[in-house]
Amino acid sequence: MKWGAIVGISVIVALMVLYEWPKMDQKQMKEKAALLALSGVGFILAILLVFFPDMPGPTDLVNMIYKPFGQILEK
């Protein structure tokens, strides 16, 4: 079941990149690098969520960082 999800995620990410890539000019190297980097990070996060569904999200990280500052400001 997990392998089916991984294949599905891979196909979707590949289709997204293949759809956007030809629309960019050949001189837009920074934009292409950003597309690949963001797609790669999204792909890795999606795969991690398949294997570890209880993984904390980005809001949990923000809450962990700013919770001490909020407690200081409440006093």
Side-chain angles (χ1 to χ4, degrees):
M1 182 66 178
K2 289 184 181 181
W3 293 107
I6 292 172
V7 169
I9 292 168
S10 300
V11 168
I12 290 171
V13 170
L15 288 174
M16 286 179 4
V17 171
L18 289 173
Y19 178 76
E20 290 294 330
W21 195 266
K23 293 183 178 186
M24 296 182 188
D25 291 334
Q26 291 196 5
K27 296 178 184 176
Q28 293 180 322
M29 297 308 288
K30 289 182 183 178
E31 287 81 0
K32 288 183 177 184
L35 173 68
L36 291 177
L38 291 173
S39 298
V41 168
F43 176 75
I44 290 169
L45 286 175
I47 298 300
L48 283 174
L49 283 173
V50 168
F51 286 109
F52 306 108
D54 296 330
M55 187 173 69
T59 55
D60 294 329
L61 177 65
V62 171
N63 288 336
M64 183 181 69
I65 292 172
Y66 289 110
K67 188 173 183 178
F69 295 122
Q71 291 173 350
I72 291 171
L73 292 174
E74 288 178 359
K75 292 181 181 181

